[in-house]
Amino acid sequence: MAATYLTSAIRQFEYYKMLGEKAMAQVTDETLFWQYNEESNSIAVIVRHIAGNMLSRFTDFLTTDGEKPWRNRDEEFENGFSDRAELLAYWEKGWSCLLDTLRNLTDEELDTIVYIRNDGHTVTEAINRQLAHYPYHIGQIVMIAKMAAGSNWESLSIARNKSTDYNARKFENEKTKRHFTDDL
């Protein structure tokens, strides 16, 4: 079960990474930095927070607290990027840290205790915590991008009024064990 869990978790993270990237690709550079109001976050701020969290949580994952002394979480909620390229480079840095760490874990390490702000988690619990956290923010990115793109938005999942077509294609296949992202 453990190898299946790690493989599934990695696939889930990769799926949400792809959703964020496809959403950001559909908006202008200006939209990446747009905020609805002073209390809301731009896509750029959300990216800075997600990647900052990944770097803190997954650097030396098994041996140090996930809240690193060098992390300045409050600063993550200010725009720190000058352009799309810089934003995407930081996004990639965070995801690489996360995915490289997960790919190097072993089944035996899943019950190891790791700490986040001195709260102990099994490795599995720590991964699950982030599997809830990052998609929450990816959804925010998608929503901002979708509103900004308007009628030019290209669906990232099953398009409106296409569920019947999608289901027909899925049910043409034989039942088999596969990850839901295999046909993306």
Side-chain angles (χ1 to χ4, degrees), residues 5-179:
Y5 170 77
L6 283 171
T7 300
S8 179
I10 290 166
R11 297 288 299 271
Q12 287 286 125
F13 281 120
E14 290 172 335
Y15 172 71
Y16 286 105
K17 179 180 187 285
M18 177 203 64
L19 289 180
E21 290 169 354
K22 285 187 171 189
M24 288 187 284
Q26 294 189 52
V27 300
T28 64
D29 292 1
E30 181 179 90
T31 299
L32 294 173
F33 300 94
W34 174 83
Q35 288 179 245
Y36 175 73
N37 61 33
E38 227 176 80
E39 293 301 313
S40 64
N41 295 317
S42 66
I43 291 172
V45 165
I46 297 167
V47 165
R48 190 169 184 204
H49 170 61
I50 292 172
N53 183 280
M54 290 173 178
L55 292 167
S56 184
R57 296 292 182 266
F58 292 97
T59 297
D60 302 323
F61 177 61
L62 295 175
T63 58
T64 63
D65 194 284
E67 187 65 18
K68 303 296 185 283
W70 45 258
R71 181 182 185 205
N72 185 343
R73 183 183 179 278
D74 292 334
E75 194 174 83
E76 292 168 7
F77 292 94
E78 300 169 13
N79 177 39
F81 303 118
S82 58
D83 57 29
R84 178 185 293 264
E86 189 178 358
L87 178 151
L88 292 176
Y90 196 61
W91 166 269
E92 193 58 45
K93 182 178 179 181
W95 283 101
S96 292
C97 180
L98 161 68
L99 293 169
D100 290 348
T101 297
L102 295 184
R103 288 182 184 119
N104 287 304
L105 287 174
T106 66
D107 300 348
E108 295 75 29
E109 291 168 324
L110 290 176
D111 288 326
T112 300
I113 301 299
V114 296
Y115 293 89
I116 301 171
R117 297 185 182 100
N118 281 342
D119 292 334
H121 301 63
T122 64
V123 166
T124 301
E125 290 169 334
I127 292 169
N128 288 344
R129 179 175 170 167
Q130 300 319 115
L131 267 173
H133 182 204
Y134 303 148
Y136 165 80
H137 289 302
I138 299 296
Q140 294 170 333
I141 290 171
V142 170
M143 180 58 94
I144 294 167
K146 188 173 184 177
M147 289 188 303
S151 62
N152 294 322
W153 179 256
E154 293 181 28
S155 178
L156 303 179
S157 60
I158 303 168
R160 284 182 190 230
N161 301 314
K162 297 296 180 183
S163 295
T164 302
D165 297 342
Y166 180 81
N167 286 343
R169 282 193 311 277
K170 292 299 280 184
F171 285 111
E172 286 174 357
N173 298 322
E174 288 187 39
K175 286 185 180 181
T176 185
K177 171 79 173 86
R178 62 183 166 259
H179 197 268

